[in-house]
Amino acid sequence: MTSSVADTGISSSPDVAASSANASASLDIAIAGAGIAGLAAAIGLRRAGHKVTIFERSSFNHEVGAAIHVCPNASRVLLSWGFDPKRARLIVCRSGLFANAGTMEPFHYEQYGDIERVYSASWFLSHRVDLHNELKLLATRDEGPGEPVKIRLGAKVTGIDPSLGTVTLENGSTHKSDLVVGADGVHSMASSLVPSHGTPAAATGHSAYRFLIPTEELLADEETRPIFEGKDGQFYIFVGEKNRLVIYPCRNNELQNFVMIHSDNDKRISQEGWNISAKVADLLDECKSFHPSLLAVCRKAQDLNLWKLLYREPIQKWYEERLVLVGDAAHPMLPHQGQGGAQSIEDGAALGVLFSRFPAFTTAEDLDKTIGERLQGFESVRKDRASLMQIFSNAGQDEAEKILKDARRFLKDGVKAPANQTEIRAINFGHDVVGESERVLSGLV
C-alpha cells in the first residue's frame, strides 16, 4: 500500500542504505545520463555501498535550464542525503496566487506556512542548474557514505545489452557492469530495450515558452514592480482562455522564472526539444489578451526558449534483466504539477534502499536472481506512484476534474480521488518513498 507522511510519519530510518553499506556486497553499476534522474540514482546507489559510473553525453560546459519545483516528497529525500538548500540557493515557496490573465483578478490564494509542519520538509523553488550542481556535489565529493561516483563526460551511450549488463559508447568502447540504469531522458534509447515499454513520447498539442528575468529589472519598472515587490517565495498562475502564465522566483529571489503554456500554432516551430530558440514577437502574440502589466513583463523576455510538451502513457514494465529505467526514460510528464524532477529523486531514493543490504553472491545465477528480485521490488514501489503523477500532471492543481477518471487506475484501494488543490497536494507531497521502499526490502532480506 502506498505510504504517506500523513498516515505513517517520516520513515524512522531514512538512512537505511547508508547505515547498512558496510554489510552489503558491492556492485558495479553504470548509469546512462547525468541529469537529475541519473544523479539521484547515483547518490542513492553510492549510499548503498555500490561503485557507480555515470556516462554522460555532454561536456557540462554550457549547462542551461530554467527553474524547477523541489516539492516536500523530494526535499525530504534530499535533506536526508545532506543536501544544503542554502548552498544551492533554493528558496521556500510561501504562497500561491491564481488569477485571471486578462484582468489580474485573483480567484484563489493560499499561504503555505504549514507545509513544513504537515509534510516534514519545505517546498523549495530552485534554478535547475543550482539543483543539478548540488546533486553533482553529493554524488562525487569525498565526504559521505560510499565511494564517490565517477562521471565520464563526452561519453554518449549508443548501446546497452540488458542480459550482460554492458554499455557501448559512441567511440566503440564497451563497459561491463552488474546493473545498468537508463536515465537517458524522454527520447530514451534504454526504454526501447524494455519489452512492453509502451509507445514513444508524443506531442500533446501544447508547448511552453520559458524565460528568466532578473528580479531587479522587474522591480525597477513601475508597471511590473507591483507584481513582484514584497512577494518573497510567491508563485503565480495567470489563467487565460487557452493558455496560462506560470511565474515563480528562484536563485535566492534573484531571478523570476516564466512558463507560458499554450496550444501549438502551425506557424511556430515544430521541432521537438526543451530549448528551441523562440521569438519574443510570437510570445507577445500568444498573450495579446493579457493584462498590460503582464504584457510589460513578457516584453522583457530574453533568451526565450520554446519547449514542446510531450506525453507518454504509463509503461507496464520498468526493467529487463540487468537494465532498469528511471526519470523521464520511465515516466515523462507535463509540468503542471511540478513533479517531474521530484519523481526522479523518488526513483533514486527507492533504488538506494532496495539495493542496500545486497547479499554476497558466488555465481552469475545468484546475482541475476537477486537483481531480479530487487528490480521487481523497485517496480512495485515506483510504477503506480509515478504513473499517478503522470496522470495528475496532465492538468493544473486547479483542474482536478480533468484527471479524475484516469487517476483512479493508479489510486490504491480506499484512497479518494482528489477534488481540489489541497487534496492533490496531499497525494503529491505526502508520499513517503523511503518508508515504502524499506517495507518492500524487509520482505526480500
Side-chain angles (χ1 to χ4, degrees):
M1 179 178 178
T2 298
S3 60
S4 70
V5 173
D7 58 27
T8 68
I10 295 299
S11 170
S12 59
S13 53
D15 245 356
V16 62
S19 65
S20 57
N22 291 334
S24 301
S26 179
L27 303 181
D28 288 317
I29 298 177
I31 299 178
I36 291 172
L39 289 171
I43 295 166
L45 291 165
R46 166 190 171 164
R47 296 174 70 83
H50 303 296
K51 298 177 181 178
V52 182
T53 301
I54 303 178
F55 297 93
E56 165 58 35
R57 64 187 299 170
S58 75
S59 62
F60 282 169
N61 287 337
H62 303 287
E63 293 184 75
V64 295
I68 186 171
H69 291 257
V70 184
C71 305
N73 51 303
S75 62
R76 283 194 304 275
V77 172
L78 295 180
L79 294 170
S80 76
W81 286 346
F83 187 97
D84 187 341
K86 184 176 181 180
R87 183 172 56 211
R89 298 183 286 184
L90 272 58
I91 60 175
V92 175
C93 185
R94 302 185 186 280
S95 60
L97 184 143
F98 292 71
N100 182 285
T103 64
M104 292 185 63
E105 285 294 320
F107 59 83
H108 182 80
Y109 175 75
E110 281 189 88
Q111 293 186 323
Y112 303 131
D114 64 343
I115 289 288
E116 184 172 3
R117 177 187 62 80
V118 173
Y119 300 111
S120 301
S122 292
W123 177 359
F124 292 110
L125 305 171
S126 175
H127 194 293
R128 183 176 290 269
V129 171
D130 297 337
L131 173 62
H132 193 254
N133 285 340
E134 186 69 12
L135 291 175
K136 278 191 294 183
L137 177 64
L138 289 178
T140 60
R141 67 181 179 180
D142 292 333
E143 300 82 7
E147 185 175 317
V149 174
K150 298 176 182 178
I151 302 179
R152 292 192 51 179
L153 300 177
K156 181 180 178 180
V157 175
T158 56
I160 298 172
D161 188 325
S163 62
L164 297 176
T166 57
V167 298
T168 301
L169 305 185
E170 191 173 41
N171 64 10
S173 62
T174 299
H175 303 264
K176 181 74 170 66
S177 61
D178 298 310
L179 176 69
V180 180
V181 179
D184 53 346
V186 67
H187 296 297
S188 170
M189 176 274 296
S191 69
S192 68
L193 302 174
V194 177
S196 303
H197 75 282
T199 58
T204 61
H206 290 81
S207 293
Y209 289 106
R210 305 194 73 156
F211 55 101
L212 296 161
I213 300 176
T215 305
E216 183 179 70
E217 181 178 339
L218 293 160
L219 293 175
D221 186 328
E222 291 184 1
E223 191 163 14
T224 59
R225 183 187 306 133
I227 303 175
F228 303 97
E229 192 170 39
K231 303 298 194 302
D232 177 32
Q234 178 164 301
F235 81 82
Y236 294 93
I237 298 182
F238 292 102
V239 180
E241 290 185 11
K242 295 183 179 180
N243 51 20
R244 54 179 51 204
L245 178 63
V246 181
I247 306 173
Y248 57 92
C250 62
R251 191 167 284 173
N252 286 341
N253 280 304
E254 295 171 10
L255 294 172
Q256 298 291 328
N257 178 71
F258 299 85
V259 184
M260 165 68 84
I261 300 171
H262 62 282
S263 298
D264 284 335
N265 188 310
D266 289 342
K267 73 180 182 181
R268 298 195 176 98
I269 191 166
S270 60
Q271 177 186 355
E272 290 185 0
W274 62 269
N275 61 345
I276 304 164
S277 181
K279 298 177 180 179
V280 175
D282 286 337
L283 169 67
L284 293 173
D285 183 59
E286 183 60 46
C287 61
K288 59 189 175 186
S289 63
F290 282 16
H291 188 278
S293 294
L294 295 177
L295 290 173
V297 168
C298 292
R299 281 194 291 269
K300 297 179 185 295
Q302 296 182 6
D303 297 323
L304 181 66
N305 291 315
L306 181 62
W307 173 26
K308 287 189 72 68
L309 302 181
L310 305 179
Y311 176 73
R312 187 179 69 197
E313 278 290 318
I315 58 177
Q316 297 303 307
K317 191 176 183 186
W318 284 42
Y319 70 95
E320 173 68 14
E321 298 185 87
R322 295 190 184 187
L323 168 66
V324 62
L325 307 176
V326 296
D328 284 351
H331 46 70
M333 59 189 70
L334 302 183
H336 297 295
Q337 297 290 327
Q339 279 288 325
Q343 291 309 299
S344 294
I345 292 165
E346 286 190 15
D347 291 344
L351 274 180
V353 172
L354 285 159
F355 275 80
S356 64
R357 300 165 62 186
F358 201 91
F361 54 90
T362 56
T363 68
E365 289 76 14
D366 288 341
L367 176 60
D368 286 336
K369 179 176 182 294
T370 306
I371 286 178
E373 292 171 346
R374 298 302 177 91
L375 291 181
Q376 185 175 24
F378 172 74
E379 182 181 272
S380 74
V381 168
R382 296 300 301 142
K383 187 174 74 170
D384 281 358
R385 163 64 176 174
S387 296
L388 181 63
M389 292 298 98
Q390 284 182 276
I391 298 300
F392 276 14
S393 296
N394 288 338
Q397 290 191 11
D398 58 320
E399 301 174 309
E401 70 282 354
K402 292 184 177 181
I403 46 85
L404 290 180
K405 181 179 178 181
D406 287 338
R408 289 190 179 97
R409 288 187 288 155
F410 302 106
L411 287 167
K412 300 298 183 183
D413 292 342
V415 176
K416 175 188 171 186
N420 55 52
Q421 295 184 50
T422 301
E423 292 177 0
I424 287 177
R425 274 203 307 276
I427 294 174
N428 290 1
F429 294 178
H431 185 70
D432 181 8
V433 66
V434 171
E436 184 169 350
S437 299
E438 288 176 344
R439 280 186 284 278
V440 171
L441 179 65
S442 69
L444 297 174
V445 297

